[in-house]
Amino acid sequence: MIRNFEIKKTMLFAFIMVISYQFVDAQVQIEMKSEYIGKSDYRKSENEKSEKVGDSRGAAMVHQANITIPLSLRLNENKRPTLWAISMNGTYAKLDNKNLTESLVVDNILNIGINLSHLRPLNDRWSMLATVGGGIFMPDTDFSQAGLKNVLGNVGTVFIRHLKPNLDLGGGIMINNSFGFPMVFPALYLNWKTEGKYAVRIALMQGLEMSLGYDFTKNLRLNLIAEMNGQTALLQQEGKDKMFSHLYMIAGFRPEIKIGKKISIPLTIGMNLWRPAQITDRTLKSMFQDKEYYFRASPYASAGLKMHL
């Protein structure tokens, strides 16, 4: 199962890029988070066999910041929003690599993006979400090294079916230049949640998010979570266009401290279950290569801040 998932990781990045959107109210939303992924061995998987790559090991620190600004919001008689919003995000990942002699040579990743989103109801059961945006995806923090090869653009449309008041499912298409030229990909959307003292959430919007929460008090919620996130960098090696992908799947325990109605502090401790990280050719064929590199499971911790202004 993991092997098949790894083969499709680049396409999944495409899904995440176009559906990096969340429903917002009339307030500005700001989210910041720092993550630590502990050290583990670096391994190679090929032909169903896995082996350690020498004495290679690695850890990672990831810092993220996102801001979503609603430009206009109007509700119809069914409380469905017509919304224009702009979102900006930045991520810096520092990979603490030791004794890596092949395949992985990136130590820093900088991702900066901006998206314009438009959501509108089509009727009582359907809504449409359209997004357009782009960003810079670099293996360095020096902007003087950025060029057109580091730029990815995307445009997409998703049609969302409101199956229940708490369940939305949708699909559509997106276009981006992940492989150096415009390509069409399928796009997925899922948002299911329950409210109350116990709360369940499963979402495929900003990566994959699953959580089971319990409100101990009005200021403290305890969650069991499972999430997937990642970064990518575009680079050149020996005159060839390459793509470095860094994914991580985590599971853990997350207390969330609420300060009033506008601020919350989520703290997470758990495990990084699987962290593929490797450089591949920037071609469609690279999605189906047999050789895969990844870091084994390791401890994980993060601290964040969420604000509604």
Side-chain angles (χ1 to χ4, degrees), residues 248-292:
Y248 47 97
M249 299 178 63
I250 63 150
F253 179 66
R254 176 177 295 162
E256 185 169 358
I257 303 165
K258 300 177 182 179
I259 303 174
K261 296 182 178 180
K262 295 186 177 182
I263 299 176
S264 65
I265 302 173
L267 306 170
T268 308
I269 185 167
M271 291 290 296
N272 155 56
L273 303 177
W274 179 62
R275 185 162 69 99
Q278 69 183 94
I279 292 176
T280 59
D281 292 333
R282 197 174 168 186
T283 63
L284 186 62
K285 182 180 178 181
S286 67
M287 290 178 57
F288 304 99
Q289 67 180 16
D290 291 331
K291 187 184 297 184
E292 298 147 6

Side-chain angles (χ1 to χ4, degrees), residues 118-239:
H118 177 55
L119 175 73
R120 67 182 307 110
L122 300 177
N123 53 43
D124 292 347
R125 290 290 185 178
W126 287 90
S127 292
M128 181 194 72
L129 170 63
T131 67
V132 60
I136 297 174
F137 299 80
M138 296 178 58
D140 202 334
T141 57
D142 184 358
F143 277 104
S144 66
Q145 303 298 317
L148 291 178
K149 294 289 187 180
N150 301 111
V151 176
L152 289 181
N154 67 82
V155 59
T157 301
V158 174
F159 295 93
I160 302 169
R161 170 74 170 179
H162 306 292
L163 296 173
K164 295 181 179 180
N166 65 339
L167 175 60
D168 297 327
L169 181 64
I173 62 170
M174 63 158 295
I175 302 172
N176 73 25
N177 61 320
S178 294
F179 299 113
F181 53 89
M183 279 194 62
V184 178
F185 295 92
L188 303 177
Y189 182 98
L190 170 65
N191 189 26
W192 177 68
K193 61 183 179 180
T194 66
E195 297 292 345
K197 202 170 185 66
Y198 290 95
V200 179
R201 175 176 168 82
I202 300 176
L204 180 62
M205 293 186 291
Q206 294 182 307
L208 175 64
E209 302 176 11
M210 296 185 290
S211 67
L212 172 62
Y214 176 74
D215 288 331
F216 270 79
T217 70
K218 67 177 182 179
N219 296 320
L220 177 63
R221 169 175 285 185
L222 299 180
N223 300 283
L224 292 174
I225 62 97
E227 295 178 352
M228 188 196 70
N229 208 332
Q231 299 81 41
T232 189
L234 306 176
L235 63 153
Q236 283 193 327
Q237 284 184 340
E238 300 176 350

Side-chain angles (χ1 to χ4, degrees), residues 9-10 13 231-233 243-247 276-280:
K9 65 181 183 296
T10 307
F13 263 124
Q231 299 81 41
T232 189
M243 178 184 295
F244 173 73
S245 57
H246 176 236
L247 279 171
Q278 69 183 94
I279 292 176
T280 59

